[in-house]
Amino acid sequence: MSAPTAKQGAGEEEAERLLAAAKLNPNDGGPFRALGHHYARAGDAQRAARCYQRAVALDPDDAEAGEALCDLLDVDGKESLELAVCKESAGKSPRAFWAFRRLGYLQVHQNKWSEAIQSLQHSIRGYPTCADLWEALGLAYHRLGMFTASVKSYGRAIELDSSRVFALIESGNIQLMLGYFRKGVEQFRLALELAPRNHSAYFGLASALLAWSRHCVATGAFTWAANLLKEASEAAKACSSLTGNLSCVWKLHADTQLALARCFPWEHGDIKWGMDEHTFKASVLEWRNTCLSAANGAKLSYQRALHLTPWEANIHIDTAVCLDLICTMEENNSVDPIIWELPEKISLGGLMLEPVNKDFWVTLGSVSSNQALKQHSLIRALHLDMSLSEAWAYLGKIYRQSGHKQLARQAFDRARSIDPSLALPWAGMSAEDHNQYGAGAVNESYESCLRAVQILPLPEFQIGLGTIAARSGELLSPQVLMAVRQAVQRAPHYPESHNINGLVAEVRSDFQSAITSYQQAKFALDMMCRSKLDNRYPFVDVSLNLARSLCKAGLATDAARECEELKTKGLLNVDGLQIYAFALWKLGRHDEALSVSRNLAENLPSMKQESATGALGFICTLAYNITGKDSAALVIHTLPGQPSYNRELKFIISALDALQPNKRFQLPQLSTPPRLTSYEVMSEVHSNIALGKAIGGESNSCLGVEGGLSYLKKVLHMYPDCSLVRNHLGSLLLSGGDWTASHKAVRVTSLSHGHTSNRGLRSPHQIQACATVSCYATCTSYPKFSFPTCEDQYLSQYNALCNLQRLVHQEPWNQDARYLLVLAIFQKAREEKYPKHISTILKRLILQVLSSRSNSEEHKIVLYEKYLLLLLSSEISLQSDDHANCIAQATDALRVTSPSADAFFAHLQLCRAYVVRGDLSNSRKEYMKCLQNGTNTEIGWVMLKQLESLCSLNPGSDEIEINLKECIERKGSNPSKWASLFNLACAQSSMRVEDFASAEKALAQACAEKDADSCILFLNGALNMEIAWRYAAPQFINRAASSLRKAQQKSQATVPIVSLLLAQAEGSLGSKTKWEKNLRLEWFTWPPELRPAELYFQMHLLASQSTASGAPQQKQHQLLPETMQSPGAWLLRAIHQNPSCSRYWKALEQVVYV
Amino acid sequence: MKLAGLKSVDGAHEESIWAAAWAPAADHRPTALLLTGALDETVRAWRPDDLAAASPPARGHALGVLSLAAHPAGVIAAAVSLDSYIRVFDVDSGASVATLDAPPSEVWGVQFHPKGVALAAAGGGSGSVKLWDTEKWQPIASLPVPRPEGARPDKTGSGKFVLSVAWSPDGKLLACGSMDGTIAVYDAVRMKFLHHLEGHHMPVRSMVFSPVDPHVLFTGCDDSHIHIYDAKEKGLIGAMSGHASWVLSIDVSPDGMAVATGSSDRTVRLWDINARASVQTMSNHSDQVWAVAFRPPGGEGVRAGRLASASDDKSISLYDYS
C-alpha cells in the first residue's frame, strides 16, 4: 500500500517541480511537455492536452508533444481540432514535420488528395525513410490518377519495408491498369507470399493473369495463354473460397474459364508419322471435351454470380455469350424457330434491365439464330447509335449469308470506316473480294484477310487466309504459316485447317509433315461426313494432295495406291492422272505409266491453255525418261501444236534439240523475235542451243567448244547483262584448250553479290576459282616470294582468294565452296613455296572437306574431288618433308580412283615421293605404271619427262613424246606451247646431269617454237652465258644476247636478272651504252625493298663509269638511277647488304686507295 | 524508338567486316568496347562513343574472323576464324587465353553463357553444338541436333550444318539454328534436347533471346523474315517481313522493346516488337551488313543506347538508340 502512495507522492512532487520550472521560464516548451506527459500518465486528459497545446504553441517543432496532443485528440474523436492543431503548427514552422505528417494522414483520411500530396511531400523531407508516408503518398497519387508517380511512391515504400502488402497490391493494380501485366503478376505474387489469405491479392493476380493471357492470345501464343489461364482460374477459385459471396469474384472465375475454353490449343506436337485414325479422333475429342468442360465451368460460375447479384445486367449478357459458345461447341442446333433459345432468353433478361444499352442489342443479335430477330436487334442497336461498327459488321454478315451482296459490302464498308481495328469487316471484305476474279482482287482479298487475322486470330479467318494464300501464291509467307499453324491448334476438327497446313508444309518441301497433315485432313473429313453428306470434292482434293506429297517424299508405292483408290471410285481427274503416271514411272511400271499418260493426252484438248501445256511438258519428259529422246520428239511432233509454247516447254524442246544433233526440230518458235518472249526463258533456251552446238559439233567424246562459244558470244551481245549466258560462256571457255582461257573466263563472268545464282554449268565462283588455279604462270601479286611471270596479268588485279573466302562465309554449308577454297589456297601456298602456316591451314581444311564428304553418296565428281584433295594433301606432306604421309596419302588416292578418274597422277606423285626418298626401285616401278596408265592431260607427260632422269632411266626412249603428241592431237590444244614445255623438261633433265650440250639443244628447240615463253628464253640466255663462261666459248654470248633480248621484250622488263644478264652479255660484246641501258632497266625491275646487294654493286660500277666519263649530260642525270647516289655510297650499301662478298671489299679498297 | 547515326568509320578494316560484339564494361575498364572481326584476319577494338581505335589490331585469325562473342564479365572474348579455331583472348591486351577446336568439323557462331560459365559454339557440319567450360577450357558436352520426326530427305546427304547459337538470359535454354531452317532447343541445365521450332526453310544465320521474356526467341533467316518464337512452348508467335534479301544478323535492345537486323539488302532495320513492324531503315552501308550489336547495359553512360553495325563495305557505324 505504501509504494503507490509513495509513487503518487513522488508524482505530485514532480508535477510541482515541473510547474515551478514552467513558471520560471514560461517561454520554454520543455517543462510543459513533461507536464503533459505527467498528466497523461495520471489520466487527466484535459490538463494534459492543455499542457501539450502550450508546449506546441511555444515550439511548433516539438514532435513529441505534438504527436501526444494529436493522439489525445484522436482518442476523443476531435478530428477538426486535430486538424487545426496540425495546420497551425505547420503554418508556424516549416520544420514541424510531425505536423505535416499528421496533416497528410488526416487529409488522406478525408480524401483531400491534392492537399495531402503537398503535406506528405513536405513531411517526407523530415522522415525520408518512413514507409507509411510513402505508402500514403502513393495512395494519394493513385487516387488523383497520377499512376507513374504513384508506382514510384509505392515502390519506395516497398523498398523501405518489404512487407507492405497494401503497397504491393495497389502498385500491382496500377501496373495492370497501365498494361504491364508481368510486373503486376510479380507484385501480386509477392503480396501473396506475405499474406497468403489476402483475397484482393488473389483477385488481382487472377485478373492480371487474365489480362496477360489476352495479350498472349492476341500474339498467338496459345499454349502460353492456356497455362496462364489455368493459373488465373486457380487464383480466382482460391479467392472465391475465401470470400464466396462476392459476385465479381465468381464473374472473374467465369471469365478465365471462358477465355480458356476459347483459346485452349490442340496439342499435336507428338504426332508420329502414320498416326492412325483412332488416335487422331481420340485426341480431337479429348481437346473438345477439355474446352467444353471449361465452358461449362464458366457457365456455373456465371450462374453463381447471377444468383448473388441478379440486378447486374452485364452478367446476364456474359452468361448468354457463354451459353452461345457451349451451343456451338455441342452443335445441337434446334431448328424450331418458335422456341426461344437459352442464350436469347438470357440476353433478353439483360435487356429487360437495361433496354437502352446498345451493346446488349448487338449481343442479342449475335447469339440469336433467328434471322429476323438478328436483323431487328442489330437495327435497334443502330437506332441507339448510328456509328456502332460491330452492329454494322454483323449486319453485313447477315446480308452476306442471305445473299445480298451489295448491302453486305456497304455494311462492311461502313463498319470498317468507323472502326478500322475491328477484324470482322476486314474478313468480310476479304471474302467479298475473293469471289471476284482478277489478280488485283485476290491481292486485295489477301491483304484484308491478313489484316483481320492480325487483329483477331480466329481459326476461321486463319483458314480463310490460308485458302487465299494458296490461290495467290503467298504460302511461303511466315504470316500465313503462323496463321495456319494456329488454325490447326484452335480448330483441329476442321479438315480445311489440316489440308492447308499440309499445303504450307509442302511448299516448304517438308513432305513428311505434309503427308501427316493430309492424312489428318482425311480423318477430320471422316469425322465430319456423318453430319454432311456431300464431301466428295474435298475428299478428292485432299487425296490428290496426299498422293502428290507422297510422290515428292519418294513414297511412290503409297502414292500409286492412293491414286488407285481414287480410280476405283471413279474420281481420278487430270491432275490425278499426272500424279498416277509419275508414281508408276517411279515404281518402274513403265508400260502402265505410258498408258496413263496416253490417257492424259486424250484429255489434253479439253483442258485449259495453261494446264494443257504443263501436261504436255509432263508427257514429253515422261516419254523421254522411259523410252528415250526419240519418242519424246515423236510426242512433240504428233501432239497438237500450241500457238505459243510456255517457258518450260520451250526449255524441253531446246534440250531435246541439243541432244539430237542429227535430227533438228528447226522449231520456228525458237527464232521468234526476242521481244515477244520473256527474257529469262530465252537466255535459258539460248544456252541450251549453245550446248547443243557444242555437243553436236563432233561425234567423239570431246566437246566441240568452238561452235558453242561463237553462238554464246552472239547471245551475249544480245543479252549483255544475263549472268546465265556469261556463266555458260565462262565455263565453255575453261573447258576449251585456249591458252589464255583462264583470264578471259574471269573477265567474262561477273560475280553477283548476295544471291549467287547457281544455274548454268558452273557457278561464277567456280569459274573464278578454276581460273585462279588453271593459269600455268605464277600470278602472285606480292613479289616477296616469286615474280609474276604471267604475260597477261589480269588475275593480279583482283583477289580470287578473298572472293572465295567470302563465298564460304556466305554459304558455310556449301562443300563445293570449301573445296574451291582449298584449291585456291593451295595455289597460294605453291606460289609462296609452301610456308608452314599455310600448310597447316590447308591440312585442316582438307581434313574438313574430306570428313564431310565421307558420308555423302559416291558420286563421280565427288570421288574425283576426293582423289584430288588426297593428292594435294600428299603434295603438302612432300613439301614439308613428311615422306611417309605423302606416300600413304597418294596410296589412299589410288584407292578412291574410279575407273574414269586418272590414276596417272597418283602414280606420278608416288614416283616423285620415292625419288625424293631415294628409293630407286620403287620409283622406277611407279614410273612404269605411269607409262602404262597414260593420261589425257598434257602436263602429266611433261612432268613425267622431268622425272625420267631422276629415276636414272635411259632418256633415250621417246615414248613420252609420242604419247604427248597423241594427247595434243586428241584435244586439239596448242602444239607449239606444249612442245616448248616438253623441251624445257628435257633441258632441265640434261642440266641436272650437267649435260649442257643437249640441254642447250633442247632449249634452242624450245625457243624456236612460235611464241615462246619469256621464261624459256631467259633460261636459254642464261644457259648460253653459262656455257660461254665455262667453256670460254664466246660464240655463245651472241646467242645468249639474242635470247635475252627477246625475253626482255616479251616480259616487258618485269622479270628481274634478265636485264642484268643481258647487260653483261652486251658488255662482253663491247657495247657500253647497251650495257648501261640494260643495267638501268634492271634497277627498275626490282621492287625497292627486295633489291639485292649485287644490284647495288652494279650501280656502283655504272655510277663510277659515268663519273669517269665526265658526266656529259648534266641535265639528264637527274633521271638516271645511278646518279641518285655517289659511287662510293652505292658500294657501301652493297657491302652493308652482303658483307661476305670479297669482291665488294676489293672494290672498296680500290676506291679508297685510288 | 528510333536510331540516329552517330559516327561511321570507313575502311575500319582492310577487308570485309564479318563480326561485331560488345565487350561489356569490367572492373578495370569503365566503358564497354566494340570488337570487330574481318576477312583481313584481324580483330580490332573500338571506343564506344567516338569509335577511336582502342588497341592495335590482334592478328592471327587465319582466313578471316567468322564470329565474335564477349564474356559477360568483359575481360575475355572468343573469335572464330575460317580455319575453325576458336581463339579466346584478353580484350584489353589481345593476349591469347586459350585456343579451342573440335576437329574435323567447322565451327561457326559462338556465344558465352549469360553467367559466363560456358562457351557454346555452333559445330557446322558436325550437326551439333559444342560446349566448353570457361575455367579450364575443357569440352563439356556435344549436343547433336536430332533429325525431325520423319526427316525430309536431305539433298546433300551430309546432315545439318549448324550456323548459329543462343542462350536464354536465365541460362535455362539453348537454341541453335541450321542451314535447312530448323531450330533446335535444348534444356541447357540438363543438357537435353527439347524440340524443334519450325517455320524457317532457309539458313538461320542469327538468333537472340529476349532479355525480358526468357523464352522468347528472335531469329533472322535467309528467307528474309524475322520470326518470334515461344521457345519453351514451341510456338511461332510472330513474324516480321520487310528486308529485300537475307537477314544476316539480329540483336535485341537491352530494354527488350526493339530488335535490329542487318541484311544482304545493305540496310540495317529497327523493328518494334510490340507492333510487329519495321520502324526505321538505315541505308548508310554500301554492301551487305554482317553484324549488328546493341551495347549491353552497365558501365559509364549506360543511359544512352548504342547500336553498332559492320558491313562488307569495310566500314562500321555507330547509332544512338532512343
Side-chain angles (χ1 to χ4, degrees), chain A residues 217-220 222 452-459 461-462 486 490:
Chain A
V217 168
T219 59
F222 296 108
V453 166
Q454 278 168 348
I455 295 168
L456 186 67
L458 269 192
F461 294 171
Q462 288 164 339
Q486 287 171 4
R490 304 273 303 281

Side-chain angles (χ1 to χ4, degrees), chain A residues 346-477:
Chain A
I346 299 281
S347 53
L348 276 176
L351 272 174
M352 298 267 275
L353 290 166
E354 280 183 43
V356 289
N357 193 322
K358 55 198 177 183
D359 295 325
F360 291 1
W361 282 110
V362 175
T363 314
L364 176 61
S366 61
V367 298
S368 166
S369 57
N370 185 329
Q371 289 289 341
L373 181 59
K374 264 176 186 272
Q375 199 167 348
H376 169 72
S377 51
L378 290 172
I379 289 173
R380 266 313 279 273
L382 285 175
H383 272 306
L384 289 166
D385 181 0
M386 266 302 278
S387 60
L388 194 63
S389 56
E390 291 94 338
W392 282 114
Y394 277 117
L395 209 55
K397 196 175 155 190
I398 293 172
Y399 286 139
R400 204 180 128 66
Q401 276 162 357
S402 57
H404 296 95
K405 288 267 157 93
Q406 201 57 39
L407 284 174
R409 183 174 272 276
Q410 276 172 2
F412 281 135
D413 216 11
R414 198 172 277 244
R416 194 165 63 173
S417 55
I418 293 167
D419 182 6
S421 66
L422 198 67
L424 184 57
W426 288 103
M429 290 305 264
S430 158
E432 288 292 316
D433 285 331
H434 184 57
N435 288 336
Q436 293 175 355
Y437 287 100
V442 170
N443 276 341
E444 186 116 326
S445 162
Y446 174 76
E447 290 296 328
S448 304
C449 200
L450 186 62
R451 182 68 68 89
V453 166
Q454 278 168 348
I455 295 168
L456 186 67
L458 269 192
E460 285 81 4
F461 294 171
Q462 288 164 339
I463 292 171
L465 182 67
T467 318
I468 300 169
R471 201 176 137 191
S472 63
E474 300 269 1
L475 277 179
L476 268 178
S477 144

